[in-house]
Amino acid sequence: MTQLPIFGQPPDRPAEKPAGDRAVTLQVLVTVKAAPNPSEKYGETVCVAGLSTDPERPGWVRLYPINFRELGRDASFKKYDIVSVEAVPARQDSRRESWRPRMPTLKVTNHLKDWARRRRWLDPAITEITMCRLHRGATMDSQSLGLIRPKRITALRITRHPGWSSSQQAKIDDYVKQITLFGNEDRTPLRAPRFAGTYHYECQEPTCRGHKQGFIDWEFVAFQLLRLGGLNDTAACEHLERRFLHKMCAPDRDVAFYVGNVAAHPRTFSVLGVYYPPRLASVSR
């Protein structure tokens, strides 16, 4: 079993990507698996993010693109796994944390099963920078991933997902045609989720007027597909609110949000996932 050091707070300003396209080996504690989106080339792609466990390369890491349905058993991984993977700087994505993984090289080296082990890494990573400050300072070179502590969560608004756009559906259709023509694989096209969610909250900034950010965690989508299929809309929304608001964001949890922005719109942030260990009596507010 790998001995894990205690990690400090990630730097507020991400390091520049190395020059050239030489692959480097990244060690990443996976904390985020975003909901899959249509891709013409890959069928569907997922953005994965996490915290570097390499003291020589501290900070947050974004790995994209990844198609989980095409991964073999040896390359499959889940949240709070620690993975080793070769990756090259993502040149089409100017965000400094973004890398293109070489998926055949990916190996799971550890898993942090309980909250106590996760807290050693992630509690120090909860930034003192507020969501308001992240938004104000957002540029192509600034921090695009973070773990922030909300001051007050006011709602999780759940609405009907509008379905794929015409361009997204065209990507799915083109990929399915490629499979039929070349691969003869039985591949179910990516389904749009039934519901979309938006967290409403206030950050720790004294003058915060509130944030409304889309919730794009894969867990939110998977819960709909696996657990709510037989329920009507009202009952399904109640189950989603119960799990992702009343349970995960309960008063007895030390809640923080994994947040990330959009490459083309640096000031547009989403909630990528929820960090919700049991509250510690000694944690000050």
Side-chain angles (χ1 to χ4, degrees):
M1 183 72 68
T2 304
Q3 183 66 34
L4 300 179
I6 297 178
F7 191 74
Q9 187 167 353
D12 293 340
R13 188 173 181 82
E16 291 188 28
K17 296 173 185 174
D21 294 322
R22 184 175 64 86
V24 301
T25 300
L26 303 177
Q27 310 287 338
V28 182
L29 169 58
V30 176
T31 59
V32 167
K33 291 170 68 175
N37 276 305
S39 167
E40 182 177 351
K41 183 176 180 179
Y42 302 100
E44 60 197 64
T45 53
V46 171
C47 179
V48 169
L51 195 64
S52 170
T53 63
D54 182 353
E56 300 298 320
R57 195 183 297 275
W60 295 97
V61 175
R62 179 185 290 105
L63 299 174
Y64 179 86
I66 297 175
N67 183 338
F68 270 90
R69 285 208 283 181
E70 303 237 342
L71 294 183
R73 179 176 298 180
D74 292 341
S76 183
F77 60 95
K78 54 183 181 268
K79 283 184 181 180
Y80 300 111
D81 278 349
I82 295 179
V83 302
S84 171
V85 63
E86 291 183 8
V88 297
R91 297 304 178 195
Q92 292 182 329
D93 184 343
S94 62
R95 294 173 295 181
R96 293 185 174 187
E97 301 96 331
S98 297
W99 295 76
R100 290 182 64 90
R102 294 180 175 176
M103 294 309 296
T105 70
L106 186 141
K107 297 180 181 178
V108 176
T109 62
N110 208 334
H111 176 69
L112 304 190
K113 184 176 181 180
D114 55 70
W115 285 115
R117 299 185 71 206
R118 298 169 187 172
R119 294 191 81 128
R120 294 181 62 206
W121 286 84
L122 293 166
D123 279 13
I126 296 174
T127 181
E128 296 180 0
I129 297 175
T130 65
M131 188 63 246
C132 285
R133 183 176 167 188
L134 273 181
H135 183 267
R136 283 196 304 269
T139 66
M140 292 298 184
D141 296 329
S142 64
Q143 184 177 347
S144 69
L145 292 168
L147 183 57
I148 61 103
R149 178 92 68 189
K151 180 178 181 181
R152 186 166 72 99
I153 302 169
T154 55
L156 172 61
R157 301 296 184 197
I158 300 169
T159 57
R160 266 286 187 172
H161 192 283
W164 302 131
S165 66
S166 57
S167 62
Q168 289 174 318
Q169 188 61 53
K171 291 178 181 178
I172 294 173
D173 294 342
D174 288 344
Y175 183 72
V176 171
K177 290 176 183 177
Q178 293 173 27
I179 290 175
T180 302
L181 183 61
F182 298 108
N184 295 319
E185 298 181 36
D186 182 12
R187 181 70 70 186
T188 304
L190 179 64
R191 293 166 52 190
R194 184 174 168 189
F195 299 103
T198 305
Y199 275 111
H200 295 216
Y201 69 96
E202 298 170 6
C203 73
Q204 299 288 340
E205 185 121 338
T207 58
C208 179
R209 297 183 178 180
H211 303 278
K212 299 177 182 179
Q213 294 176 339
F215 183 41
I216 59 173
D217 189 355
W218 192 352
E219 185 179 344
F220 182 70
V221 174
F223 188 78
Q224 298 176 41
L225 297 174
L226 299 176
R227 302 285 294 277
L228 307 181
L231 300 179
N232 62 34
D233 282 5
T234 300
C237 288
E238 289 175 353
H239 277 265
L240 287 168
E241 187 173 309
R242 185 180 306 126
R243 176 172 177 80
F244 294 97
L245 180 64
H246 300 305
K247 180 180 178 181
M248 293 170 62
C249 302
D252 63 347
R253 299 281 172 173
D254 281 325
V255 178
F257 287 148
Y258 299 106
V259 297
N261 70 1
V262 179
H265 306 282
R267 291 192 174 185
T268 300
F269 281 81
S270 301
V271 175
L272 309 178
V274 183
Y275 176 63
Y276 58 103
R279 180 184 292 275
L280 296 179
S282 61
V283 173
S284 61
R285 284 285 186 263

